[in-house]
């Protein structure tokens, strides 16, 4: 979502005549778009601010945007005098006004979470690559005990159906052939269709499928409790909905899941995956894991490993628990020592890497479409994604934005080689 927000900020500033500084050249203004999800990500902003200092001691105009801005607000102003603007993720449409003030030497913090929708204040989409993001929902009401998102991004809000169809159509006009629908709880998206009926994400995907030049639809990130019958069924029905599901589970032990306030169990999670696999047997599964949540015992961690074995994920993200100020878990008893977390993360990642390689190996010999996203390292080589979100490289006659037919010939942990069969769409 930060990528999406960054693109929207760039579009907004372009309207003010502020263009992107060419790579490697000095910028007059730097917007640091930040993440607060784990401590490491949040601390990065301060070292980045330090690195922006010029030799003569001056700095460009600096804006700190994103969730660190939201969470730390005035604190950033105190800690980093070089910063002149602090703007939260729901307020960045007001950045142009803040820049005008900053040019006159005034510093400002805007971390309002207004009822007004920032999206209405943003300009139309411009040129985009073949794979584009579209935020459909923001915020979260789930309050997992480790997570800052409900505090930094605010309550769950869905963007209107009509606005999304319009923005998607503009993205496709601008060159997008794949759209990934984004939200902290994307499958909790709700809207009203053109007939005034209340609908969920499956209906939005169905409507988007009608855009002729849009070939692929994805969505991320989902919560198990919002995996509706309709959305599961859509995976069996909608050809353009890619066979990939990112469904974080976080842990394999019911006691830990309860302490995390996940409101699903190991079993209810596995049952959802079973139902999805029943309608779309080739679906690639993905998830997020946290190791070392407060109180997690060795035996409970083993339950995470056994869940991984039971699922056979195609790819995953895994993290050491990071205490976030203001969240309930930060003050829970039984904080796990970092050495224990390190060891657990290593074991978990070894299992996940093993499964990822196995998934990729099992793809060898398959024929599939690849959406070409960019040139490869070598002359005539192209890089793109398979339907299962694997990186695929191949050589031959193609262009960025093509959807080509490829036979997968070789697999590694992070990518596959393919042989070009034919260009499916010129
Ligand atoms: N510590 C470690 N990982 C976290 N995540 C969210 N909060 C924390 C935290 N405090 C992870 C979860 C979530 C992903 C986006 O980040 O796995 O799904
Ligand atoms: Fe955070 Fe996701 Fe839980 Fe919401 S559902 S609190 S975003 S981990």
């Amino acid at each position: 979502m930060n990528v999406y927000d960054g693109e929207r900020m760039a579009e907004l500033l372009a309207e003010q005549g502020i263009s992107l500084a060419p790579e490697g050249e000095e910028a007059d203004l730097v917007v640091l778009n930040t993440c607060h999800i784990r401590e490491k990500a949040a601390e990065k902003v301060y070292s980045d601010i330090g690195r922006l200092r010029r030799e003569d001691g001056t700095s460009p105009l600096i804006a700190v945007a994103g969730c660190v801005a939201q969470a730390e607000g005035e604190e950033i102003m105190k800690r980093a005098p070089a910063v002149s603007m602090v703007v939260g993720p729901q307020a960045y449409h007001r950045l142009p006004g803040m820049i005008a003030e900053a040019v006159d030497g005034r510093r400002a913090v805007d971390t309002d979470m207004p009822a007004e929708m920032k999206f209405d204040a943003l300009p139309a989409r411009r040129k985009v690559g073949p794979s584009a993001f579209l935020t459909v929902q923001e915020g979260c009401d789930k309050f997992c005990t480790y997570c800052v998102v409900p505090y930094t991004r605010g309550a769950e809000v869905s963007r209107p159906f009509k606005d999304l169809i319009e923005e998607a159509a503009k993205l496709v006009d601008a060159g997008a052939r794949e759209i990934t629908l984004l939200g902290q709880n994307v499958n909790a998206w709700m809207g009203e269709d053109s007939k005034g009926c209340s609908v969920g994400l499956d209906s939005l995907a169905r409507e988007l499928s009608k855009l002729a030049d849009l070939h692929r639809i994805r969505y991320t990130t989902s919560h198990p409790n919002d995996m509706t019958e309709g959305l599961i069924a859509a995976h069996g029905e909608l050809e353009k909905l890619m066979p990939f599901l990112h469904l974080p589970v976080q842990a394999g032990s019911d006691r830990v899941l309860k302490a995390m306030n996940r409101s699903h169990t190991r079993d209810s999670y596995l049952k959802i995956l079973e139902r999805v696999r029943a309608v779309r047997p080739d679906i690639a599964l993905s998830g997020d894991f946290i190791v070392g949540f407060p109180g997690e015992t060795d035996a409970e961690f083993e339950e995470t490993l056994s869940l991984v074995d039971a699922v056979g994920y195609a790819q995953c993200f895994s993290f050491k628990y990071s205490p976030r100020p203001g969240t309930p878990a930060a003050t829970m008893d039984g904080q796990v020592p970092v050495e224990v977390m390190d060891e657990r993360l290593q074991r978990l990642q070894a299992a996940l890497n093993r499964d990822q390689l196995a998934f990729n190996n099992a793809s060898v010999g398959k024929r599939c479409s690849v959406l070409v996203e960019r040139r490869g390292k070598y002359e005539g080589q192209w890089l793109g994604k398979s339907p299962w979100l694997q990186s695929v490289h191949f050589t031959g006659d193609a262009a960025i934005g093509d959807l080509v037919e490829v036979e997968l010939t070789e697999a590694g942990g992070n990518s596959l080689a393919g042989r070009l069969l034919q260009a499916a769409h010129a």
Side-chain angles (χ1 to χ4, degrees):
M1 191 171 284
N2 273 9
V3 172
Y4 175 86
D5 287 342
E7 286 170 0
R8 303 303 317 258
M9 283 188 252
E11 288 165 352
L12 181 67
L13 297 185
E15 291 232 310
Q16 315 291 314
I18 302 175
S19 58
L20 281 175
E23 187 89 33
E25 265 180 46
E26 187 161 302
D28 303 311
L29 162 74
V30 174
V31 181
L32 295 165
N33 198 19
T34 61
C35 175
H36 201 243
I37 196 102
R38 284 170 293 277
E39 193 181 356
K40 238 193 191 159
E43 277 301 312
K44 235 180 119 221
V45 65
Y46 291 105
S47 54
D48 284 348
I49 292 166
R51 276 195 286 124
L52 288 173
R53 228 174 124 90
R54 302 188 185 111
E55 268 175 22
D56 64 2
T58 61
S59 298
L61 277 183
I62 302 175
V64 176
C67 291
V68 176
Q70 189 64 39
E72 300 192 1
E74 287 288 350
E75 190 56 36
I76 300 176
M77 288 297 198
K78 279 195 214 130
R79 207 172 141 181
V83 172
S84 38
M85 294 155 275
V86 173
V87 59
Q90 307 307 351
Y92 66 71
H93 54 296
R94 288 195 289 268
L95 202 47
M98 295 174 80
I99 293 172
E101 297 264 303
V103 168
D104 289 339
R106 283 188 290 277
R107 304 173 86 203
V109 176
D110 189 343
T111 49
D112 273 3
M113 290 216 199
E116 103 199 41
M117 272 248 162
K118 69 171 176 259
F119 297 103
D120 295 338
L122 296 172
R125 304 309 310 262
R126 294 177 310 159
K127 199 174 157 3
V128 291
S131 181
F133 289 131
L134 172 56
T135 294
V136 304
Q137 178 279 335
E138 269 195 72
C140 182
D141 298 336
K142 303 282 192 294
F143 290 92
C144 299
T145 53
Y146 50 81
C147 186
V148 289
V149 167
Y151 311 97
T152 52
R153 286 269 170 179
E156 275 176 22
V157 178
S158 293
R159 294 183 62 194
F161 187 86
K162 190 173 129 289
D163 294 6
L164 295 171
I165 302 298
E166 276 172 22
E167 190 171 328
K170 290 205 178 99
L171 287 170
V172 174
D173 285 346
R177 296 295 167 260
E178 170 179 276
I179 291 182
T180 302
L181 307 175
L182 298 179
Q184 274 84 34
N185 262 296
V186 71
N187 59 341
W189 180 86
M190 275 181 22
E192 263 184 23
D193 68 7
S194 51
K195 295 187 205 89
C197 297
S198 177
V199 292
L201 194 69
D202 49 314
S203 299
L204 182 62
R206 195 160 279 124
E207 191 64 24
L208 293 175
S209 285
K210 295 180 189 160
L211 294 169
D213 290 331
L214 179 66
H215 304 315
R216 294 174 158 194
I217 301 166
R218 303 182 184 276
Y219 60 96
T220 199
T221 288
S222 297
H223 191 283
N225 286 7
D226 294 314
M227 226 37 231
T228 59
E229 284 301 328
L231 186 55
I232 294 175
H235 275 283
E237 290 162 12
L238 296 181
E239 210 188 309
K240 293 185 180 179
L241 188 58
M242 289 294 100
F244 187 94
L245 175 62
H246 179 69
L247 196 64
V249 63
Q250 314 296 357
S253 139
D254 281 343
R255 194 206 62 81
V256 173
L257 288 172
K258 194 152 194 272
M260 287 177 162
N261 191 31
R262 286 291 295 177
S263 64
H264 60 80
T265 62
R266 172 191 179 99
D267 207 45
S268 66
Y269 175 83
L270 290 172
K271 289 233 162 67
I272 294 165
L273 297 189
E274 236 172 67
R275 278 161 43 217
V276 181
R277 275 181 162 151
V279 296
R280 187 76 214 227
D282 71 332
I283 196 146
L285 297 171
S286 161
D288 288 347
F289 291 90
I290 296 175
V291 301
F293 183 80
E296 184 187 66
T297 64
D298 285 339
E300 285 165 349
F301 171 65
E302 293 295 332
E303 289 187 72
T304 296
L305 291 178
S306 72
L307 179 135
V308 167
D309 288 348
V311 173
Y313 287 99
Q315 52 169 274
C316 279
F317 299 99
S318 49
F319 314 100
K320 285 185 272 190
Y321 168 70
S322 170
R324 308 310 293 124
T327 60
T331 49
M332 280 181 187
D333 289 340
Q335 299 286 323
V336 175
V338 69
E339 311 79 65
V340 176
M341 286 205 267
D342 280 334
E343 204 243 350
R344 286 182 190 168
L345 189 65
Q346 264 186 27
R347 287 184 63 202
L348 175 61
Q349 291 187 340
L352 294 172
N353 290 342
R354 172 203 68 199
D355 289 353
Q356 185 168 332
L357 182 61
F359 183 87
N360 288 348
N361 277 331
S363 306
V364 173
K366 281 190 187 169
R367 290 174 169 214
C368 67
S369 65
V370 168
L371 179 64
V372 183
E373 291 178 7
R374 55 196 168 93
R375 287 182 178 279
K377 251 197 296 193
Y378 308 105
E379 182 69 31
Q381 192 188 44
W382 300 96
L383 296 179
K385 294 270 168 35
S386 76
W388 308 283
L389 207 66
Q390 297 150 303
S391 290
V392 178
H393 54 90
F394 65 91
T395 49
D397 187 16
I400 291 170
D402 280 357
L403 192 69
V404 297
E405 192 72 11
V406 156
E407 181 184 323
L408 300 172
T409 53
E410 237 179 283
N414 293 318
S415 66
L416 292 109
R419 187 169 63 82
L420 184 63
L421 297 172
Q422 64 169 82
H425 294 268

